[in-house]
Amino acid sequence: MQMNTPPRSTIRLTRRGRVALIATGAVVAATAVTVPLLTLTTEHEERRPTSLVIPEGWRTGQVYEAVDNALALPLGSTKRSLAKANLKLPNDAEGNPEGYLYPATYPVDRTATPESLLALMVNTANKKFSGSPVTAGAQRNAMNLYQAITIASIIQAEVSTKADMGKVSRVIFNRLERGMPLQMDATLDYALNRFTPTTTTNDTKLESPYNSYQRMGLPPTPISNPGQAAMRAAINPTPGNWLYFVTVKPGDTRFTASYEEQQRNVAEFNRLRRSASPSASNSPSTSISTPVPGSPSASAPS
């Protein structure tokens, strides 16, 4: 029987043939590795956000972290970039962009850097805040623009509705005009780098320029990045004689000029809080009592 198999010698690989096959195999292997890597890179790029949302009331630390995440950078990168960002801040800010990282939605493209995003936020704030209605409103209330932004930042941190913002603004002005400390919990929260509705008596003894229970006047800088509604409230406070307020429950913020009425409102706040969280009433660090004298919001014993 004849077979059409060529002689063994004709199918032996030459040295060159071996090299050629090995090289070909290497190319094939490399291709098999490279394709998944290319696919992963494409998927990663697709997952990278194309926009960055900065909500009203965020602090600079929150904005820095959001930029780091959006650009897939190690945490702390954006904060470290401040030195070379060359932001157009007022002299009063002394290089601190708090209050000027305007809340909005910003585009994030391949060329975006921490410096470019921060600059865009500050430039947006300057455009929003430097208009004639804002500057005229600040002058009408005997303050400069930086002070108006500081008041707006407190308003933004204390309440969320437009109606309440105007009233909180009036409380701030009424207290300043009467030579009373602001005693705003939001300023203490900023000093303590926390977000909580609870202020203890020990908190009010904190040594900090942001402790508005002990320090007179406004804090040295804004305490958040306010939006348009808070800024409008800062330059257009609602008419009223209020000196105190407390949010008894969501959607129910009560304003009064009477300390006795404030105590009753705080007592109701305490009752509702304890009924919602019985364990909190047994904790000296979270239980709520009547506010310290003159406080516009609730405070707690330590």
Side-chain angles (χ1 to χ4, degrees):
M1 178 182 295
Q2 291 185 340
M3 298 184 63
N4 294 325
T5 304
R8 182 179 295 271
S9 60
T10 62
I11 61 173
R12 287 179 180 173
L13 295 176
T14 63
R15 186 173 183 276
R16 181 176 297 179
R18 291 178 189 272
V19 173
L21 282 177
I22 291 171
T24 303
V27 171
V28 171
T31 303
V33 172
T34 303
V35 170
L37 288 176
L38 289 173
T39 303
L40 288 173
T41 302
T42 302
E43 290 176 353
H44 174 72
E45 290 176 352
E46 289 177 352
R47 287 196 300 269
R48 177 171 170 168
T50 57
S51 62
L52 173 62
V53 178
I54 304 300
E56 296 175 343
W58 267 18
R59 299 173 187 168
T60 52
Q62 293 171 288
V63 177
Y64 297 155
E65 184 175 349
V67 173
D68 286 341
N69 291 334
L71 300 182
L73 297 173
L75 290 180
S77 298
T78 299
K79 185 176 182 179
R80 288 191 295 271
S81 74
L82 280 177
K84 55 182 179 179
N86 194 27
L87 302 178
K88 296 179 180 179
L89 296 168
N91 292 334
D92 288 336
E94 297 182 351
N96 180 1
E98 191 76 84
Y100 279 82
L101 301 180
Y102 194 79
T105 300
Y106 296 95
V108 178
D109 58 24
R110 292 174 180 270
T111 65
T113 64
E115 296 88 344
S116 68
L117 287 174
L118 292 178
L120 182 56
M121 294 176 198
V122 172
N123 291 342
T124 302
N126 284 328
K127 290 178 182 177
K128 296 288 186 179
F129 296 153
S130 298
S132 55
V134 175
T135 55
Q139 292 173 359
R140 185 173 63 250
N141 289 283
M143 58 183 172
N144 62 34
L145 180 58
Y146 194 69
Q147 290 170 325
I149 294 172
T150 300
I151 290 176
S153 74
I154 297 173
I155 296 168
Q156 187 76 71
E158 286 284 353
V159 290
S160 58
T161 68
K162 292 181 180 179
D164 287 344
M165 285 181 178
K167 293 179 179 179
V168 170
S169 180
R170 176 54 65 190
V171 170
I172 292 173
F173 279 102
N174 286 347
R175 284 180 158 258
L176 291 174
E177 290 169 0
R178 287 165 174 76
M180 300 171 66
L182 294 184
Q183 296 183 315
M184 296 282 172
D185 292 347
T187 64
L188 269 179
D189 285 345
Y190 186 79
L192 294 167
N193 192 29
R194 70 181 185 190
F195 301 87
T196 174
T198 301
T199 297
T200 69
T201 301
N202 272 352
D203 291 341
T204 66
K205 299 175 183 177
L206 178 71
E207 283 295 327
S208 169
Y210 293 92
N211 184 355
S212 63
Y213 280 82
Q214 293 188 350
R215 303 295 179 96
M216 300 296 292
L218 296 174
T221 72
I223 63 169
S224 71
N225 292 283
Q228 191 171 11
M231 194 64 194
R232 285 176 179 168
I235 59 175
N236 295 294
T238 304
N241 63 348
W242 310 292
L243 295 172
Y244 313 94
F245 69 91
V246 60
T247 299
V248 176
K249 57 185 176 181
D252 183 9
T253 301
R254 301 180 188 178
F255 296 82
T256 180
S258 165
Y259 180 62
E260 290 72 22
E261 184 177 354
Q262 170 74 353
Q263 287 181 306
R264 291 193 294 271
N265 291 336
V266 171
E268 183 173 351
F269 167 73
N270 294 340
R271 180 180 58 79
L272 291 174
R273 180 177 173 84
R274 290 183 178 120
S275 63
S277 179
S279 60
S281 63
N282 296 323
S283 171
S285 62
T286 58
S287 61
I288 305 297
S289 71
T290 55
V292 294
S295 170
S297 54
S299 63
S302 59

